[in-house]
Amino acid sequence: MPRLTGSRATIAGLLAILLWSTSVGLLRSISEALGPTGGAALIYTISSICLVISNRRALPQLVLSWRMLAAGILFVVYEISLALAIGLASTRTQALEMGMINYLWPGLTLLFALYINQQRAQWFIVPGLLLALGGVIQVMRGDTDWSPAMLLHNLAGNPVAYGLAFGAAIIWALYCNLTRRWSDGQNPVPLFFCATALVLWVKYLLFPQPPMHITGGATLELLFMGISTAVAYSAWNQGLQHGNLTLLATASYFTPVLSAFIASLWLGLTPGWGFWQGVFLVVAGSLLCWLATRKASTHSDLVSASSTKE
C-alpha cells in the first residue's frame, strides 16, 4: 500500500475498522461451508500471501529474537482460538456471542498494561472492566431470565468454544502489551500470519475434519476475507503512523457495535434488545477503561498499547 498522509491515512484507518468488523459474520459463514479448521486455514493462507507480497522488501531485514518468537506464538494462538471459537459455536447466534466475548480484550489490555508496561490509571478502570464483563454476560443472556445456573449451563453446553473465546481475549491483551516492548519498531505480522496458516493446515491434516463444500458464494467470501484482512492490517498501520490518532482510537472502541450489526445482517439474525444492551455495555466499559488510562498518561502511549487489532 502506498504511503498515505493526513486525512487519507485517517480514512485508511477507518477502512481497517470497517473491514475487521466483517470478520465475525464471514468467519462463521466460511466455517459452515469449509469447516472451522479448513476455512480458517484457507483464510490465513490467502492473507499470508497478500502480506508477504506487500512486505517483500521489509521481511528480509527482520531480526527474529526469542522475544519476537514468543510474541509470534501468542499471535498464532490468538488467531486460531478466535477462528475456531466462532467456527465451533453451536449456532449462528452463539457465534455472535463469541465475537462479543473477544471484545473484552481492550479492557484487559489496559489492565495488563498496569503491570507489564507500568501504565498509570485512575480508579475507575475497575468499574470499566466490570461493566465490559457485565456486557458479555448480558450478551450471553439475551432476552431470557438470567441466573448463575443458567450461565453455567450455557458454558457447559459448548465449553470448548467459550473457553477459546475467553482465552483469545486474554491472549490478545497480553500480545498487545508485550509486542509494544519487544517489537523494536519491526513488523513481523506477515510471518505470524504464515505461522498461523501452517499450524492450521497441520491440524487439518492430523485430525478428522468435516468435508469442504466449495461453492461460488463460499469462494467469494473466502477471497474477500483473506484479502480484506491483509488490507486491513496495512491500512491500520498507515492510519496509526500518519492519520488522526484520536479519531482512530475512539472509533476502534465502537467496533463491537459495527461488528455485531454486520454479522447480524450477514447471517440473517435478529438479536433481541438484551443482546444489544450487552454490546453497548461492552463498548461503554472499554471506553471507561480508556478514559481511566488517558487521564493518567499520554494519548500516544495508549494507542500503541491497545490499537494493534480491531
Side-chain angles (χ1 to χ4, degrees), residues 4-14 235 238-240 242-244 248:
L4 304 175
T5 58
S7 60
R8 290 185 178 181
T10 302
I11 292 173
L14 294 174
Q238 292 273 6
L240 286 185
H242 310 294
N244 185 324
L248 292 178

Side-chain angles (χ1 to χ4, degrees), residues 12-23 224 232 255 258-259 262:
L14 294 174
L15 173 63
I17 293 174
L18 176 61
L19 292 175
W20 273 323
S21 297
T22 66
S23 61
F224 176 82
T255 307
L258 185 58
S259 177
I262 292 176

Side-chain angles (χ1 to χ4, degrees), residues 18-304:
L18 176 61
L19 292 175
W20 273 323
S21 297
T22 66
S23 61
V24 173
L26 283 171
L27 261 175
R28 178 62 188 188
S29 183
I30 293 170
S31 295
E32 290 176 352
L34 305 176
T37 303
L42 287 168
I43 291 168
Y44 284 100
T45 299
I46 295 172
S47 297
S48 297
I49 294 171
C50 294
L51 286 169
V52 168
I53 292 174
S54 62
N55 292 274
R56 59 188 179 279
R57 296 181 180 178
L59 287 177
Q61 302 174 16
L62 284 178
V63 179
L64 294 178
S65 64
W66 70 266
R67 289 183 172 181
M68 190 175 293
L69 291 175
I73 292 174
L74 289 175
F75 183 97
V76 171
V77 173
Y78 166 77
E79 296 290 346
I80 292 176
S81 296
L82 179 60
L84 293 182
I86 294 173
L88 293 173
S90 301
T91 64
R92 288 184 165 188
T93 299
Q94 194 175 83
L96 284 183
E97 295 179 9
M98 303 304 166
M100 290 306 103
I101 291 171
N102 173 59
Y103 285 111
L104 285 172
W105 73 260
L108 290 173
T109 297
L110 299 173
L111 175 65
F112 294 163
L114 299 178
Y115 304 97
I116 297 175
N117 292 312
Q118 287 73 56
Q119 173 76 56
R120 292 176 295 170
Q122 300 290 333
W123 63 269
F124 48 88
I125 189 174
V126 175
L129 285 167
L130 293 176
L131 194 62
L133 180 60
V136 167
I137 294 174
Q138 175 66 17
V139 163
M140 295 171 62
R141 181 181 79 94
D143 295 319
T144 62
D145 294 331
W146 183 87
S147 68
M150 183 275 292
L151 176 61
L152 292 175
H153 175 74
N154 287 346
L155 293 174
N158 196 347
V160 174
Y162 281 110
L164 287 170
F166 280 108
I170 294 171
I171 291 167
W172 193 257
L174 286 171
Y175 174 84
C176 290
N177 280 286
L178 293 175
T179 51
R180 182 187 174 198
R181 301 180 62 182
W182 294 350
S183 64
D184 296 324
Q186 300 187 89
N187 179 26
V189 168
L191 295 183
F192 294 170
F193 262 79
C194 291
T196 302
L198 178 61
V199 173
L200 284 166
W201 281 120
V202 170
K203 181 180 183 299
Y204 182 84
L205 294 173
L206 293 181
F207 298 95
Q209 304 293 333
M212 290 188 180
H213 301 287
I214 301 176
T215 63
T219 301
L220 289 176
E221 290 177 344
L222 179 63
L223 290 173
F224 176 82
M225 185 165 185
I227 295 171
S228 67
T229 300
V231 171
Y233 271 93
S234 299
W236 186 248
N237 188 55
Q238 292 273 6
L240 286 185
Q241 291 181 0
H242 310 294
N244 185 324
L245 295 180
T246 301
L247 176 60
L248 292 178
T250 304
S252 68
Y253 280 91
F254 288 92
T255 307
V257 178
L258 185 58
S259 177
F261 178 71
I262 292 176
S264 298
L265 292 178
W266 192 260
L267 298 175
L269 300 174
T270 308
W273 174 234
F275 174 86
W276 290 110
Q277 283 180 317
V279 171
F280 284 109
L281 285 175
V282 170
V283 172
S286 297
L287 285 172
L288 191 59
C289 291
W290 177 50
L291 291 174
T293 55
R294 189 169 183 264
K295 288 180 177 295
S297 62
T298 63
H299 174 65
S300 59
D301 284 344
L302 172 63
V303 170
S304 60

